Amino acid sequence: MEAGGPGTCGGGAETLGSEGRLAPESRVHFRVTRFIMEAGVKLGMRSIPIATACTIYHKFFCEINLDAYDPYLVAMSSLYLAGKVEEQHLRTRDIINVSNRYFHPGSDPLELDSRFWEIRDSIVQCELLVLRVLRFQVSFQHPHKYLLHYLVSLKNWLNRYSWQRTPVSVTAWALLQDSYHGGLCLRFRAQHIAVAVIHLALQAYGVEVPAEAEAEKPWWQLLVPPRPGMRFHIYTMDTEIP
C-alpha cells in the first residue's frame, strides 16, 4: 500500500515500544480518539463528521508536540470544527455537557457560570489554533464511500449463501471505524484503507473470492488499479501478498 504522508506521522511502526506495546503517546491518542467517537455518537454526529474530527485531531498532533496542549481540549475543538466542515453544526454547550458527562458520569449539566464560559472560550480559541496549525486544510477524503462501493461489488461476486452466512460487511465497517484510533487516515489513500479492511474481514471469516486462484490479478487490483510504477501490497499476519 502506498503511504500518503510522512513516515513519522500517523502512528507508524516507530510508535511501538521495546516489548511490542504501543508507546505512551499512541496510548494517549487511542484514548482521546475513543472519546471523540463516543462523544460524537452521543452528539448525534454521522460517521463522516466523526471521522473528520479524528483526522483533524491526528493531523494536529502530527504538527504539534503532545505535551504542548491538552489533547482532550483539542479533541473537543476537533468535534466542533468537524461539525462545521461536514455541515452538521454542533453547539458548544452540547459538546461541553457531553464531555462533562463523559469525564464525570452521572453529573448534572454545567451551569452557565464562569467555569462554563472559560471552557467555551478555550474550545473556540483552540479551534482557531487548530485551523492555523493545519493551514485551514481540514477537508479530507475518507474511505467510507469507497468501502460502500467495494462491498457492493464484492457482494455481487460472492454467492448469496457465503455473503449472508458471514458478517463481512459489518466487520469491514467496524474495522474502518477502529482504524481512526490511529493515524492510518493520514498515511494511506482512502481507497487502499477501504480495500485493506475488506481483505482483513474476508481473512477473519475464511471467505475466498470466487476464481481468485485462476485470476490474472488479485481482486483488490480490480477495485483499485495501482498507479504506474507503484507497488501495491496488502499485508497479512505472516506474509506479504503482491
Side-chain angles (χ1 to χ4, degrees):
M1 298 176 70
E2 177 188 292
T8 58
C9 181
E14 69 280 351
T15 60
L16 293 178
S18 58
E19 298 181 356
R21 299 178 179 178
L22 286 176
E25 284 194 4
S26 296
R27 290 199 294 269
V28 171
H29 294 321
F30 185 95
R31 289 194 298 267
V32 178
T33 48
R34 170 55 58 183
F35 157 73
I36 292 175
M37 294 177 187
E38 293 188 15
V41 169
K42 292 177 181 178
L43 289 164
M45 298 179 74
R46 300 184 298 270
S47 57
I48 294 294
I50 292 176
T52 296
C54 292
T55 306
I56 289 172
Y57 170 85
H58 287 301
K59 191 174 181 182
F60 178 83
F61 281 111
C62 280
E63 303 288 341
I64 300 295
N65 189 287
L66 180 60
D67 297 330
Y69 298 98
D70 179 3
Y72 285 100
L73 176 60
V74 175
M76 294 166 69
S77 297
S78 298
L79 285 166
Y80 185 51
L81 180 56
K84 294 181 179 179
V85 172
E86 303 298 343
E87 297 185 354
Q88 189 180 1
H89 298 276
L90 302 172
R91 298 191 307 173
T92 52
R93 182 175 183 178
D94 293 336
I95 296 175
I96 292 171
N97 284 328
V98 166
S99 301
N100 184 59
R101 288 291 295 270
Y102 181 89
F103 298 120
H104 308 286
S107 62
D108 295 327
L110 292 178
E111 299 291 338
L112 297 180
D113 54 13
S114 59
R115 179 167 175 259
F116 172 88
W117 292 109
E118 286 176 3
I119 297 174
R120 182 189 180 281
D121 290 343
S122 297
I123 292 174
V124 174
Q125 292 300 319
C126 187
E127 178 199 15
L128 297 176
L129 171 67
V130 169
L131 284 170
R132 289 196 298 270
V133 169
L134 302 188
R135 295 174 287 278
F136 292 86
Q137 298 176 6
V138 289
S139 294
F140 307 100
Q141 187 178 59
H142 294 294
H144 296 66
K145 61 180 180 181
Y146 298 105
L147 180 57
L148 178 61
H149 173 71
Y150 299 160
L151 285 172
V152 171
S153 300
L154 190 64
K155 181 180 178 180
N156 294 330
W157 291 349
L158 297 175
N159 67 69
R160 184 179 301 177
Y161 177 73
S162 296
W163 185 261
Q164 293 177 346
R165 181 171 55 90
T166 54
V168 172
S169 178
V170 174
T171 303
W173 283 110
L175 290 170
L176 176 59
Q177 177 179 314
D178 287 348
S179 72
Y180 283 92
H181 284 100
L184 291 178
C185 53
L186 301 177
R187 299 176 58 224
F188 298 104
R189 294 173 59 196
Q191 299 95 316
H192 292 177
I193 295 175
V195 166
V197 297
I198 294 175
H199 181 76
L200 183 55
L202 290 173
Q203 280 197 320
Y205 293 104
V207 177
E208 295 184 359
V209 177
E212 184 176 5
E214 297 82 12
E216 295 181 359
K217 295 181 179 180
W219 63 267
W220 57 82
Q221 287 194 6
L222 299 177
L223 295 175
V224 189
R227 296 175 180 176
M230 170 187 141
R231 297 184 66 198
F232 186 86
H233 298 275
I234 288 184
Y235 294 87
T236 63
M237 293 293 290
D238 54 357
T239 187
E240 180 183 283
I241 303 177

